[in-house]
Amino acid sequence: MKILVINSGSSSIKFKLFDMSDESVICKGLIEQIGANNSRAIITNELSGFKAERDLPITNHGFGIDIMNYLLFESGSLKSLGDIDAVGHRVVQGADVFNASVLINHDVLSKIESLVPLAPLHNLANLAGMRETMRVSPSTPNVAVFDTVFHQSMPKAAYMYALPLEYYNKHKLRRYGAHGTSHEFVAKEAAKLLGVDFASLNAVSLHLGSGSSVCAIKGGKCVDTSMGVTPLEGLMMGTRSGDIDPAIIPFLLKNTDLTGGEIDNILNKKSGLFAICGTNDMREIKARMYGGDEMAKLAYDMFIHRVKKYIGAYLALVEDAKCIIFTAGIGENDFRVRQSVCAGLEKLGICIDDALNESPSHLVREISTKDSPIKIIVAPTDEELAIAQETKKVVESLS
Ligand code: ADP
């Protein structure tokens, strides 16, 4: 079975074609800077090594999907679109409307559309990708896999905001979380490594990338997560502020010329690590910090401080954690960040083994000392593979 996974962001489309007989990747690619004047498309055929890069104007997501299809042929990854057995789409916001992955039909499309106000950039991009794939190959099953589904098990006490109830009742404002596919995938990997049943796993999962979030998992289910109605809440991120005092927003409206839209843009695109030291790349932040840059050090220290704060809170929620899990760009690759996060947590039962932590690997692995009461695990995330697995499950359940 060949499954194509499409992961559309606000200005990009990541795609991967899998051969599900052994879950191997046939090809992967990226369409980036959609709508900007430096848009480009890249594809790599993992079997033949063929690589192509095209700089061309890609004005919208629909056209991006057409370019993707062209590259699938050009790279020799496909002979016909009919060779794709199913397409899996990542959908950022499924709110409380979807509690499982679903086959996409017109009803599903209109429900995803009804959730656009909760995730305007992401859900619109996801919808454009789905509509174009369904248009060009109408007989191929398309499956929506939601970032929010894993978090649907959160108890009401965790997902409600302490706001007048009309905002929940009328506008569905509550915490939904994000990165659910990633948290579930790495927690299952951790359970396998530890030899425990996922349904009994208590863990704190740390997805630390450009966007970062923490998830408290009790008995294999999410009981809390740091992102909220949108992916802005929680940890300090590359360009997102994470938690702030909400009174800052009316303060800025009253005391500056900024509009609500401009404040939204600042909180999402001009805050976080970038706001403090001018870059959102953790590699550059560390290089500058070692060179004596005080603002890079402050950005790094703020990032670590907040991760530690969430670990403490979530250890209390899961009560008897078996492990903490590091994943995503920073969590998987940056041993210094892992070291800084775990420093001083020995009394909480988290004891890192420096040699294991520092030895590079792309495999799921344990980096805690033998006698650490809570194990520390690094688990590479693979959201696309998780989406392909879900898509296969949905398609097989139809036959
Ligand atoms: P996203 O999928 O949200 O775009 P990723 O999970 O790919 O993000 O993480 C991207 C971030 O990971 C980059 O901004 C960079 O700071 C960080 N990163 C990637 N590789 C390394 C590395 N080797 N060391 C430290 N940080 C890294």
Side-chain angles (χ1 to χ4, degrees):
M1 184 185 260
K2 285 197 174 104
I3 292 186
L4 176 67
V5 171
I6 299 181
N7 181 352
S8 308
S10 52
S11 61
S12 67
I13 300 170
K14 274 191 215 162
F15 59 93
K16 257 188 199 177
L17 181 64
F18 289 91
D19 177 346
M20 294 308 282
S21 61
D22 57 359
E23 299 190 334
S24 60
V25 177
I26 298 169
C27 72
K28 61 181 181 193
L30 173 70
I31 317 281
E32 58 183 351
Q33 303 294 345
I34 295 173
N37 53 12
N38 54 344
S39 48
R40 63 204 294 254
I42 304 163
I43 193 164
T44 309
N45 183 318
E46 297 289 313
L47 306 177
S48 66
F50 175 93
K51 273 190 188 176
E53 285 189 32
R54 298 272 177 280
D55 292 305
L56 75 173
I58 303 170
T59 44
N60 58 52
H61 281 74
F63 186 43
I65 295 288
D66 296 338
I67 299 290
M68 174 193 78
N69 287 335
Y70 173 76
L71 290 175
L72 288 172
F73 296 125
E74 194 199 13
S75 62
S77 311
L78 271 188
K79 289 204 172 67
S80 140
L81 283 181
D83 292 346
I84 299 176
D85 295 288
V87 184
H89 298 261
R90 174 184 178 221
V91 182
V92 167
Q93 182 56 276
D96 53 3
V97 175
F98 296 99
N99 58 13
S101 308
V102 286
L103 184 75
I104 304 171
N105 55 27
H106 287 295
D107 179 47
V108 169
L109 284 177
S110 59
K111 282 182 177 151
I112 294 173
E113 191 152 27
S114 74
L115 300 173
V116 165
L118 295 176
L121 294 178
H122 285 102
N123 272 29
L124 276 179
N126 302 153
L127 278 164
M130 289 174 213
R131 289 203 167 104
E132 186 61 11
T133 356
M134 291 167 86
R135 190 187 68 78
V136 293
S137 60
S139 56
T140 308
N142 283 260
V143 172
V145 180
F146 300 89
D147 248 19
T148 41
V149 161
F150 185 58
H151 304 308
Q152 278 296 294
S153 53
M154 269 193 279
K156 206 160 185 175
Y159 71 65
M160 288 297 286
Y161 287 116
L163 290 171
L165 285 175
E166 62 181 295
Y167 304 119
Y168 170 63
N169 293 331
K170 268 201 212 152
H171 301 286
K172 289 174 166 277
L173 290 180
R174 49 153 279 190
R175 305 181 58 253
Y176 296 107
H179 292 147
T181 314
S182 171
H183 286 299
E184 184 178 13
F185 182 85
V186 297
K188 284 184 171 161
E189 291 286 298
K192 248 190 269 169
L193 184 75
L194 295 171
V196 300
D197 185 11
F198 181 58
S200 67
L201 184 75
N202 294 343
V204 176
S205 163
L206 305 156
H207 178 114
L208 308 178
S210 301
S212 296
S213 69
V214 194
C215 185
I217 298 166
K218 194 170 177 182
K221 290 192 159 42
C222 166
V223 291
D224 204 354
T225 192
S226 57
M227 285 177 166
V229 64
T230 76
L232 183 56
E233 191 178 337
L235 294 176
M236 176 182 187
M237 306 179 217
T239 62
R240 285 177 236 157
S241 64
D243 298 331
I244 59 164
D245 183 340
I248 289 173
I249 297 167
F251 177 94
L252 291 175
L253 284 169
K254 198 167 156 199
N255 294 292
T256 69
D257 294 331
L258 293 167
T259 64
E262 286 165 343
I263 294 173
D264 190 38
N265 190 46
I266 289 169
L267 294 175
N268 277 290
K269 301 205 168 143
K270 296 187 176 161
S271 299
L273 295 166
F274 171 78
I276 304 300
C277 69
T279 174
N280 57 358
D281 189 328
M282 190 52 87
R283 289 161 289 200
E284 195 180 333
I285 290 172
K286 282 188 315 179
R288 287 204 210 157
M289 180 170 81
Y290 298 141
D293 182 330
E294 281 179 19
M295 296 319 285
K297 173 152 176 32
L298 176 61
Y300 182 86
D301 289 347
M302 287 170 70
F303 182 84
I304 301 295
H305 180 91
R306 287 167 185 226
V307 176
K308 275 178 187 273
K309 226 162 60 164
Y310 268 96
I311 290 177
Y314 283 6
L315 285 179
L317 283 182
V318 302
E319 290 175 359
D320 183 19
K322 180 96 180 151
C323 64
I324 65 167
I325 307 159
F326 284 93
T327 194
I330 300 172
E332 287 166 31
N333 298 306
D334 196 328
F335 74 84
R336 292 244 179 252
V337 164
R338 295 193 298 258
Q339 200 171 48
S340 304
V341 165
C342 295
L345 301 188
E346 297 80 4
K347 290 233 164 70
L348 292 179
I350 296 171
C351 310
I352 198 162
D353 180 315
D354 287 331
L356 290 178
N357 180 40
E358 288 171 30
S359 87
S361 165
H362 292 297
L363 300 175
V364 54
R365 60 202 184 275
E366 213 174 295
I367 57 162
S368 39
T369 58
K370 278 211 171 64
D371 54 359
S372 180
I374 297 174
K375 302 297 174 199
I376 309 168
I377 289 171
V378 181
T381 193
D382 193 338
E383 284 165 298
E384 283 83 16
L385 176 58
I387 292 168
Q389 289 167 342
E390 276 292 299
T391 302
K392 183 168 178 249
K393 231 194 294 172
V394 170
V395 171
E396 284 177 345
S397 73
L398 301 171
S399 50

